[in-house]
Amino acid sequence: MSETYLNSVRVNASRCTGCLICVKECLVQAIRVRSGKAVILSDRCIDCGECIRCCPTRAMEGWADRLTELKKYKVNIALATPSFYAQFDGNVAASVIWEGLRELGFDTVFDVALAGDYISDEMERYIAHYKGPFPLISSACPAVLRLIQTKYPELVKQVLPVLAPAEAAAIYTRRETMKRLNLAPEQVGIWFISPCPAKGTNIHQSVDVAHTAVTGSFTIASIYGPLIQAIKHVQETRYEVPEAILGSSYSLSWGCWRGELASTGITDAIAAQGPEEVDELLEQISMAKLSDVRYACCYSCAGGCIGGPCVAINKYVAAKNLRVRVERRRSREEGDRRSAMQRCRIIEDFPASWRYIKPLEPRPHPPLASDFGTALEKMAELKALEEEFPQLDCGACGAPTCKAFAEDVVRGLGKKEGCIFLQKNKEKGEKEDLQEK
């Protein structure tokens, strides 16, 4: 694939001190420090946002749209996800939060948990009839999808081919809004309120749908301040607000990392949270050591989406908020999980995944050279350089490891003199030669 990867994580060079923390923390070794500033390698970055989380100077930023973009569209619809609701006290009614969003400029809101009721049913039926290699892998986290594409391309066919609930919600709301108001596609703005950069990137360069129905995204953190003020204004000035049409409590639980399993009823499953856990789990799946497990639930953020790097509050507080909201919503439901979710499926002709999903494609790192012979030569050069370097992985060269720096040199992205140990040995040798003369 010749298409260049887009990234939503950006470096604010004015804040970057070149401290190397992000270089060392990056799971996929996608960051280098060059000329004293961090640089992101777009073909490696999966937009997990761990660098945003660990940067002490906040030089790493998650790019997103600004609220002024709403002015470009005749109708604007916000997609309210479980992780978004988790930012607010669980006792604050969803309808009040919706009115706060309207005060910010949105015309209406769609509860993504409602789409989750349909997607969970699709997942349950697909897994029950699936005959291929196990485990099937969750498709909910775009950072995990990118990790599979680049590091574990052999697993792309084991990714569950269903729409993310937010994408399904966007497809439905765009279609129905255009039909009901007789609008053109470019007049309707569908906005995702995102907990992480990966979800924002997936809008502009989707890896799982042919054409996304989402217009753009705002990070939760970027709108949280104005929204809190708007909600406060609603609470102080409004005695009644329109009732919100909501999904089930089971789909609302998707905001936490094991909530996906609760909403689908899948018990023969294994779950991982955080980049290191996910990487370890995918490695074991790739070695066929978990083929007796039916499903693997993977989220690159610890705690699930509520632990994303672009949220506004601590993930433990968010988990408490979401638990309270789930309990309140469940207290109004009758029957078991299936019956509660079925009663929420009130939409006719809700989008079916098979109409919109596209196969996940392998995207391994580019080879050292286009032809086999040259690639072998470069591999030999890389091995020789690696042995020449001290294997201390100090990071002074700007790369995370000596091996990574050796590859940078072979690819023409660095010079071996960038290793301070080689430079000191060279200077020491020159000094000794002078003394001998």
Side-chain angles (χ1 to χ4, degrees):
M1 296 173 65
S2 58
E3 187 182 17
T4 303
Y5 254 159
L6 297 178
N7 296 108
S8 289
V9 178
R10 310 289 169 83
V11 181
N12 185 332
S14 65
R15 291 181 177 178
C16 180
T17 61
C19 68
L20 295 172
I21 293 176
C22 61
V23 174
K24 291 294 186 179
E25 289 294 323
C26 182
L27 173 72
V28 291
Q29 299 186 343
I31 306 175
R32 302 289 186 271
V33 169
R34 293 173 180 159
S35 301
K37 302 293 181 181
V39 176
I40 296 174
L41 308 182
S42 62
D43 63 334
R44 290 180 178 268
C45 179
I46 61 173
D47 270 327
C48 66
E50 283 301 301
C51 53
I52 297 175
R53 210 187 304 275
C54 74
C55 181
T57 62
R58 297 186 179 181
M60 295 296 188
E61 301 172 342
W63 182 87
D65 293 292
R66 298 183 182 275
L67 284 173
T68 52
E69 292 290 306
L70 298 179
K71 298 176 182 178
K72 297 180 180 179
Y73 302 88
K74 191 168 184 178
V75 175
N76 290 285
I77 302 167
L79 301 178
T81 62
S83 59
F84 167 72
Y85 287 123
Q87 307 303 300
F88 309 96
D89 187 293
N91 293 302
V92 177
S95 55
V96 173
I97 298 172
W98 286 25
E99 288 304 301
L101 286 168
R102 287 190 177 98
E103 291 207 358
L104 293 188
F106 296 97
D107 296 289
T108 189
V109 184
F110 189 90
D111 184 47
V112 173
L114 185 58
D117 289 324
Y118 291 87
I119 297 302
S120 295
D121 182 56
E122 271 197 68
M123 292 170 61
E124 195 171 355
R125 287 187 282 110
Y126 187 93
I127 294 170
H129 295 94
Y130 177 70
K131 302 298 182 184
F134 285 105
L136 281 165
I137 303 169
S138 168
S139 57
C141 178
V144 172
L145 297 185
R146 285 198 168 196
L147 180 61
I148 291 171
Q149 283 185 301
T150 55
K151 192 173 180 181
Y152 301 101
E154 67 277 9
L155 297 180
V156 294
K157 293 189 180 299
Q158 286 178 239
V159 174
L160 188 67
V162 299
L163 291 168
E167 183 64 46
I171 294 168
Y172 170 76
T173 52
R174 179 174 292 280
R175 183 189 71 197
E176 294 303 308
T177 302
M178 289 168 55
K179 181 180 178 181
R180 179 169 52 87
L181 300 177
N182 194 27
L183 297 175
E186 61 271 15
Q187 293 178 297
V188 180
I190 310 291
W191 303 95
F192 183 74
I193 305 176
S194 178
C196 71
K199 290 185 180 290
T201 302
N202 206 44
I203 294 169
H204 299 286
Q205 190 182 58
S206 179
V207 299
D208 53 353
V209 291
H211 303 288
T212 182
V214 184
T215 304
S217 68
F218 308 104
T219 63
I220 292 175
S222 69
I223 71 168
Y224 184 74
L227 182 54
I228 283 290
Q229 294 303 314
I231 290 172
K232 184 178 179 181
H233 181 257
V234 170
Q235 291 172 323
E236 291 175 347
T237 61
R238 305 274 291 277
Y239 294 104
E240 291 184 8
V241 295
E243 186 176 352
I245 300 174
L246 304 173
S248 75
S249 65
Y250 296 92
S251 291
L252 181 63
S253 64
W254 269 54
C256 290
W257 68 293
R258 295 187 68 90
E260 181 182 344
L261 302 180
S263 70
T264 54
I266 302 169
T267 55
D268 187 7
I270 191 167
Q273 57 172 331
E276 289 80 14
E277 274 194 24
V278 169
D279 185 52
E280 183 179 1
L281 176 57
L282 293 176
E283 182 180 38
Q284 297 305 307
I285 294 173
S286 71
M287 293 189 291
K289 292 188 175 182
L290 291 167
S291 56
D292 55 340
V293 176
R294 294 186 69 81
Y295 193 67
C297 179
C298 303
Y299 286 85
S300 70
C301 294
C305 292
I306 59 170
C310 299
V311 298
I313 67 171
N314 179 275
K315 63 178 180 287
Y316 298 109
V317 179
K320 182 268 297 182
N321 289 345
L322 190 60
R323 175 180 55 77
V324 171
R325 191 171 296 276
V326 166
E327 289 173 353
R328 284 174 59 87
R329 197 174 293 190
R330 191 161 299 173
S331 68
R332 299 190 293 269
E333 296 171 341
E334 297 179 2
D336 60 9
R337 175 184 63 85
R338 282 197 175 98
S339 59
M341 297 176 79
Q342 181 58 44
R343 276 191 290 273
C344 289
R345 298 186 191 115
I346 57 176
I347 298 171
E348 293 183 5
D349 193 27
F350 192 82
S353 293
W354 66 270
R355 294 179 182 274
Y356 304 95
I357 207 81
K358 73 176 181 182
L360 192 66
E361 297 183 21
R363 191 160 183 170
H365 300 313
L368 294 175
S370 56
D371 67 281
F372 187 68
T374 306
L376 281 178
E377 292 175 2
K378 286 185 175 290
M379 181 58 72
E381 183 184 352
L382 191 155
K383 291 291 185 183
L385 274 173
E386 194 178 352
E387 292 177 3
E388 193 174 350
F389 292 149
Q391 302 304 313
L392 293 175
D393 297 339
C394 66
C397 60
T401 64
C402 290
K403 183 177 181 179
F405 184 56
E407 183 177 338
D408 288 349
V409 173
V410 170
R411 290 184 183 275
L413 302 175
K415 296 182 179 180
K416 72 175 186 178
E417 289 77 16
C419 174
I420 61 171
F421 290 92
L422 290 188
Q423 188 64 30
K424 285 187 175 181
N425 288 339
K426 181 181 177 182
E427 292 173 357
K428 182 179 179 182
E430 290 174 351
K431 185 176 181 181
E432 289 175 352
D433 288 343
L434 288 173
Q435 289 176 345
E436 290 177 2
K437 291 179 180 180

